[in-house]
Amino acid sequence: MFGAFFISLNMNSFKIPGTNLPLKTIYCIGRNYSEHAKELNNEVPNSPIVFLKPQSSICFDGDKIKIPKQSKDVHHEVELVVAISKDGKNIPEEDAKHYIHSIGIGIDFTARDIQQQAKEKGHPWSIAKGFDTFAPISSFVSVNKIQDLHNLDLKLLVNNTSQQFGNTSQMIFNIEYLISFLSSIFHLQEGDLIFTGTPKGVSSIQKGDKIKAILGENLATLSVSVT
Ligand code: ZN
């Protein structure tokens, strides 16, 4: 009871690390790298696949990832994460860059067994994607410090072994397109996050694993361990 009180207090005051932005909605894009779509035998989409994660799934650098008792197959998905700078609706693609506040690296943890069942039944992915600690994020870096958003390496190491490697140039739908697309449906708000999809190399995590995600040449890093 006491713990729950503090947890809810904390959730209301989440700031995106490295910024003064209060965390709002967490949007995620599925299958935004064709090599990843292929490794899971999925079709490459012709418009973005969108899902949301709850704020309670957010955690931070140094935190512990909990494998939920409901899953035997939790996968890591390393992703570029964009923080939105201001409110907007129906944002044209050519204006979208003005809505990017900062970027970080995050991991979209996914209970693949639960997701697979949901896919087969045509059910939503909210449970597979939404467990506590399933959305760790790094500290964010101002977009002004980034030379080229469309040429950033994403790396993920498990126990110091390289497991995922990709580059934002491989996205099917680029960041500006995603902002424009999302804002045609949702009223975007200052402090929203967009997880922009994962490159190939996803795999199962195990208790005791040490996971490190790196954006560019150490622009942002995120280290978590699995319990
Ligand atoms: Zn993902």
Side-chain angles (χ1 to χ4, degrees), residues 1-154:
M1 193 64 196
F2 206 55
F5 174 73
F6 276 108
I7 287 164
S8 65
L9 255 189
N10 283 337
M11 297 221 292
N12 288 332
S13 60
F14 269 163
K15 288 265 166 71
I16 297 168
T19 80
N20 253 329
L21 300 177
L23 175 69
K24 298 271 183 48
T25 304
I26 305 154
Y27 297 103
C28 305
I29 306 300
R31 295 177 211 163
N32 200 21
Y33 290 77
S34 54
E35 294 298 317
H36 169 62
K38 284 180 206 156
E39 77 183 341
L40 296 180
N41 293 318
N42 288 315
E43 281 176 30
V44 174
N46 46 28
S47 92
I49 296 173
V50 179
F51 60 94
L52 278 71
K53 282 181 183 261
Q55 285 201 0
S56 48
S57 64
I58 289 283
C59 65
F60 306 104
D61 187 44
D63 279 349
K64 292 185 161 60
I65 306 303
K66 293 183 212 117
I67 297 182
K69 60 180 187 299
Q70 293 92 337
S71 176
K72 292 188 166 47
D73 190 22
V74 175
H75 281 191
H76 53 76
E77 298 189 352
V78 69
E79 310 200 359
L80 176 79
V81 186
V82 175
I84 296 295
S85 61
K86 56 184 178 181
D87 291 23
K89 178 85 181 176
N90 295 320
I91 301 164
E93 211 178 318
E94 56 270 26
D95 290 345
K97 63 175 182 292
H98 303 301
Y99 290 78
I100 304 171
H101 177 277
S102 48
I103 60 169
I105 196 155
I107 306 171
D108 166 22
F109 281 107
T110 305
R112 194 70 71 200
D113 44 0
I114 296 174
Q115 187 195 33
Q116 188 54 37
Q117 286 171 12
K119 279 185 194 164
E120 284 162 15
K121 294 178 182 165
H123 289 177
W125 297 356
S126 305
I127 296 174
K129 297 284 192 176
F131 286 101
D132 295 352
T133 73
F134 266 27
I137 50 175
S138 70
S139 189
F140 278 58
V141 186
S142 168
V143 73
N144 303 325
K145 295 188 180 153
I146 312 299
Q147 275 192 338
D148 185 0
L149 277 177
H150 306 106
N151 182 18
L152 286 171
D153 286 342
L154 302 171

